[in-house]
Amino acid sequence: MCETPQDWIDEAIKPENLPTLLVDHANCELKAAQTAMLLLRRYAVDKESGDALLAWLKPFEDFVYRKVGDGNFKEHVNLSKKLISKSNFEHGDELINKMVMLIKEELHHFQQVWDIMQNRGIEYINLTASRYARGMMKRVRTHEPAKLTDTLICGAFIEARSCERFAKLAPFLDDELNAFYVSLLRSEARHFQDYLSLAETIAMQPINEIVATFKQKEAELILSDDSEFRFHSGVLVA
């Protein structure tokens, strides 16, 4: 994976960009949880379990998209129901175990970012999504099991990029954010490894060439000019 350009780091550490950085970081944590939930609902669990997943994320989505709730999600971090795997998907239990843990951690991180924002008087405003995840998903094939394999590889790259940017940013941030971003590195690295190992398991064949294709696309998105500053954006141009 390519390194984040210094120009992006220079932009990210400007004090005036801190609200955007934190809001988009929170958005990324929620989107990561949503992606994992969709994978479970599409491939791994029965309808009742799928409904439980929707209910798990609903307070977070209501707050972000519909401005409903007070922003205290501490009672909603854990899933209240054991998920039932579909009998016709042989990798269901493994997908459930890894993705439920990922969702739990991403929602906890979302709460942590929101707490930091509140303490700093940063409003949760609506931001347009960056082109990054959308650009990566355009490379996903449309037939199964290739679609699932590619989606998992996309997830691996997104988690790896988040980990890389936390590490790059941490030394330039204040003590609170430095400690917070360093604390995220281990979980983000594990999320990357979980996504990649699942992709290898489901593909049932070497995925090196597919990974290389996504690596090239990911580098294009990170190194090319971008019109908006976001956590996963490319290099900002005026």
Side-chain angles (χ1 to χ4, degrees), residues 57-76 110-111 114-115 118 123-124:
L57 267 69
K58 188 175 188 301
F60 298 87
E61 295 173 332
D62 281 346
F63 178 75
V64 171
Y65 304 128
R66 292 173 280 277
K67 308 301 181 187
V68 174
D70 60 3
N72 185 351
F73 307 103
K74 290 180 172 59
E75 295 182 1
H76 303 288
F110 174 90
Q111 177 75 72
W114 172 231
D115 288 346
Q118 285 182 294
E123 182 183 359
Y124 207 123

Side-chain angles (χ1 to χ4, degrees), residues 1-2 132-142 145-158 160-161 192 196 199 207-222:
M1 191 171 68
C2 68
Y132 178 79
R134 184 172 62 253
M136 292 291 287
M137 290 300 294
K138 286 181 179 179
R139 288 294 180 94
V140 172
R141 291 168 289 178
T142 57
K147 181 177 181 179
L148 176 54
T149 299
D150 289 1
T151 302
L152 292 167
I153 292 171
C154 274
F157 270 101
I158 293 169
R161 179 57 62 187
F192 155 73
L196 202 59
I207 61 173
N208 294 349
E209 291 185 7
I210 305 169
V211 170
T213 298
F214 281 98
K215 180 180 179 181
Q216 179 182 7
K217 180 59 179 177
E218 204 266 352
E220 291 174 3
L221 292 165
I222 290 299

Side-chain angles (χ1 to χ4, degrees), residues 37-192:
M37 178 195 70
L38 289 172
L39 286 172
L40 289 176
R41 294 185 65 231
R42 180 175 297 163
Y43 296 102
V45 302
D46 62 14
K47 184 182 184 305
E48 186 177 349
S49 297
D51 291 343
L53 287 167
L54 287 172
W56 189 12
L57 267 69
K58 188 175 188 301
F60 298 87
E61 295 173 332
D62 281 346
F63 178 75
V64 171
Y65 304 128
R66 292 173 280 277
K67 308 301 181 187
V68 174
D70 60 3
N72 185 351
F73 307 103
K74 290 180 172 59
E75 295 182 1
H76 303 288
V77 170
N78 294 311
L79 179 63
S80 61
K81 179 185 182 301
K82 179 177 174 59
L83 302 182
I84 305 300
S85 176
K86 290 180 180 177
S87 59
N88 63 344
F89 184 59
E90 63 176 309
H91 306 296
D93 288 340
E94 184 179 3
L95 190 66
I96 289 171
N97 291 337
K98 285 185 167 66
M99 292 297 102
V100 166
M101 177 60 72
L102 185 147
I103 293 170
K104 181 178 178 179
E105 291 181 338
E106 302 289 15
L107 294 180
H108 177 58
H109 297 163
F110 174 90
Q111 177 75 72
Q112 289 178 293
V113 181
W114 172 231
D115 288 346
I116 290 171
M117 289 169 57
Q118 285 182 294
N119 291 338
R120 295 172 182 236
I122 297 174
E123 182 183 359
Y124 207 123
I125 60 173
N126 291 326
L127 290 177
T128 56
S130 73
R131 60 179 184 157
Y132 178 79
R134 184 172 62 253
M136 292 291 287
M137 290 300 294
K138 286 181 179 179
R139 288 294 180 94
V140 172
R141 291 168 289 178
T142 57
H143 60 280
E144 299 292 0
K147 181 177 181 179
L148 176 54
T149 299
D150 289 1
T151 302
L152 292 167
I153 292 171
C154 274
F157 270 101
I158 293 169
E159 296 291 340
R161 179 57 62 187
S162 296
C163 187
E164 189 258 1
R165 290 206 158 168
F166 291 143
K168 288 282 190 180
L169 281 172
F172 299 99
L173 301 175
D174 60 68
D175 290 346
E176 180 187 32
L177 287 175
N178 179 298
F180 176 49
Y181 277 14
V182 169
S183 75
L184 297 177
L185 297 180
R186 182 175 295 179
S187 60
E188 298 299 316
R190 188 178 67 257
H191 296 167
F192 155 73

